[in-house]
């Protein structure tokens, strides 16, 4: 869900031309959501050591 939301923010920047600081905010939020989703996906697939 985070990864998809991040991609939506990143592609939304390419689709619409935000004005002012909205471009920076959308790119930052999109990158953070994408990285969080990717990290959670990787952690969920990590085998248990116990």
């Amino acid at each position: 869900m985070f990864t998809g939301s991040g991609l939506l923010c990143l592609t939304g920047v390419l689709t619409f031309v935000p004005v002012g600081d909205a471009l920076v905010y959308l790119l930052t939020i999109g990158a953070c959501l994408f990285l969080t989703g990717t990290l959670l996906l990787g952690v969920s697939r990590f085998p248990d050591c116990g």
Side-chain angles (χ1 to χ4, degrees):
M1 186 161 181
F2 286 117
T3 306
S5 300
L7 284 176
L8 182 65
C9 285
L10 292 174
T11 56
V13 169
L14 298 175
T15 305
F16 305 105
V17 181
V19 290
D21 290 336
L23 175 66
V24 176
Y25 292 137
L26 280 175
L27 287 175
T28 304
I29 290 169
C32 289
L33 286 172
F34 183 76
L35 290 175
T36 302
T38 304
L39 179 71
L40 288 174
L41 188 63
V43 168
S44 71
R45 293 183 180 180
F46 193 79
D48 291 334
C49 295

